[in-house]
Amino acid sequence: MRAARLIKMVLLLQARPSMTAAQLAQELEVSERTVTRDAQALSEAGVPVYAERGRAGGYRLVGGYRTRLTGLARHEAEALFLSGLPSALREMGLDDAASAARLKVSAALLPSLRDASATAAQRFHLDAPGWYQEPVTPELLPAVAEAVWDDRVVRARYRSAGAEDEAERELAPYGLVLKGGIWYLCARAEDSFRVYRIDRFSAVAVADERFVRDEGFDLPSFWDERAAQFARSILRTEVTVRVSAAGARRLAYTGDRAAAQEALERADPPGADGWRTVTLPVESLDIAYGQLLALGPELEVLEPAAFRTRFTDAAERLRDLYR
């Protein structure tokens, strides 16, 4: 562990003109006393680390010195491609690998280009979780991520949605997907590919055994197809509504956007008053009630009759409340 820290210290000093003991201690997550001892060890090993005292002092390398220890390890190179996802890296336990990879790349660049990573980081950032959601990292995510990286079989206990009991499963974990702040595992089980929510695993054991990856498997395409299937599968009923021009524009934001857009495309053109009748697939009448009620006077429910009655009652209560 100390050897890795010493290498990181050299790379930090190679990438910057000078660093104080406090700055190095923060980057290396050690005390300033440890930084002093590490600098002395590097000097004794022939690395020209020079310490300057005073307000503008700090540690630096003698001009022109460059380490050859810039080759990326495989896990560092893989993590580098995820460096735009800092929260995801932390949750998968890969933030140290990504940090080391960025340092090595920075050390290999010309001095005029060494601020490229900081420049990009100040201009682009991905915040994966949705609004008004407190992201929760599944406890078993790092173990699953390790298995995904190494193509190792996992034996897990998993509870499907709506199931009372857990089931033992042996999986070949192909890939991880972060969707709306929720982690999913795409895995092969019994010669078919399936999707599992990481937070529904109660136990995960990573085996020494490796599986042979199907080279024809494409994670983005697989996820897009399964996500579309899932979105369609939960739309189990239909309602018929009339919407104004404003209601039609807002309809896609009340529930499933693709379903709303398809329903509007199938509907007849608007009448002279700008309203049109739309048959809309919804997950359930209870869920649709809360979603469509948000459109207020821009939407009128026609069918089912009992569903229309619920909106009539809501309208009367609102009228009484604001009278």
Side-chain angles (χ1 to χ4, degrees):
M1 183 174 179
R2 190 191 184 198
R5 189 176 71 242
L6 292 174
I7 292 172
K8 185 174 182 179
M9 183 174 180
V10 173
L11 292 173
L12 284 168
L13 293 174
Q14 184 172 308
R16 308 179 192 181
S18 177
M19 295 185 70
T20 65
Q23 290 172 332
L24 284 168
Q26 182 177 2
E27 290 281 355
L28 300 173
E29 298 181 352
V30 296
S31 66
E32 293 186 30
R33 181 173 296 181
T34 299
V35 169
T36 301
R37 288 199 297 266
D38 286 352
Q40 183 177 353
L42 287 171
S43 181
E44 292 173 354
V47 178
V49 178
Y50 178 66
E52 288 185 338
R53 299 184 180 277
R55 178 177 298 180
Y59 291 93
R60 66 183 66 202
L61 294 173
V62 173
Y65 178 83
R66 296 184 63 81
T67 178
R68 295 174 180 266
L69 298 173
T70 54
L72 290 178
R74 180 176 179 83
H75 71 287
E76 293 171 345
E78 291 169 334
L80 185 61
F81 287 100
L82 295 172
S83 59
L85 304 170
S87 60
L89 283 168
R90 285 193 300 272
E91 293 177 5
M92 289 190 293
L94 295 172
D95 48 340
D96 287 342
S99 175
R102 286 192 294 268
L103 275 173
K104 291 181 178 182
V105 170
S106 179
L109 293 174
L110 294 172
S112 60
L113 299 177
R114 286 179 187 161
D115 64 343
S117 60
T119 300
Q122 292 302 319
R123 286 164 173 77
F124 301 100
H125 177 70
L126 177 62
D127 185 9
W131 288 107
Y132 315 117
Q133 298 179 7
E134 186 66 30
V136 178
T137 303
E139 182 179 350
L140 297 174
L141 176 60
V144 176
E146 177 187 354
V148 170
W149 284 120
D150 293 341
D151 292 343
R152 293 186 183 275
V153 172
V154 299
R155 296 177 178 87
R157 294 185 61 83
Y158 185 80
R159 184 175 64 253
S160 300
E164 295 183 0
D165 300 323
E166 296 178 338
E168 297 278 353
R169 301 181 186 273
E170 182 172 294
L171 306 173
Y174 269 63
L176 288 167
V177 174
L178 178 60
K179 170 72 171 180
I182 299 175
W183 284 95
Y184 298 88
L185 172 67
C186 302
R188 190 179 67 214
E190 301 176 356
D191 297 326
S192 64
F193 288 97
R194 304 176 186 178
V195 177
Y196 303 88
R197 277 183 60 149
I198 301 295
D199 56 7
R200 290 182 182 155
F201 286 110
S202 63
V204 171
V206 181
D208 293 333
E209 173 190 357
R210 282 189 165 88
F211 64 90
V212 178
R213 181 175 286 267
D214 181 355
E215 296 301 328
F217 178 81
D218 181 74
L219 180 60
S221 298
F222 171 78
W223 177 259
D224 288 345
E225 179 183 348
R226 288 303 173 92
Q229 290 177 359
F230 174 76
R232 289 192 296 269
S233 70
I234 64 174
L235 302 178
R236 301 184 180 94
T237 189
E238 291 183 339
V239 298
T240 303
V241 299
R242 290 180 67 243
V243 289
S244 67
R249 289 193 298 269
R250 293 166 52 192
L251 191 61
Y253 300 96
T254 60
D256 185 276
R257 180 172 299 186
Q261 291 175 340
E262 291 175 4
L264 287 169
E265 291 171 359
R266 292 194 303 265
D268 292 334
D273 58 358
W275 287 62
R276 69 172 81 179
T277 301
V278 180
T279 300
L280 181 69
V282 296
E283 185 172 349
S284 71
L285 294 182
D286 287 338
I287 293 176
Y289 175 75
Q291 294 171 337
L292 299 180
L293 195 63
L295 294 184
E298 305 302 330
L299 176 140
E300 177 191 2
V301 173
L302 302 179
E303 298 288 345
F307 194 51
R308 177 182 174 89
T309 299
R310 291 181 66 178
F311 278 75
T312 301
D313 293 342
E316 291 175 352
R317 294 201 307 271
L318 281 171
R319 182 191 59 193
D320 294 340
L321 182 65
Y322 286 98
R323 177 175 292 171

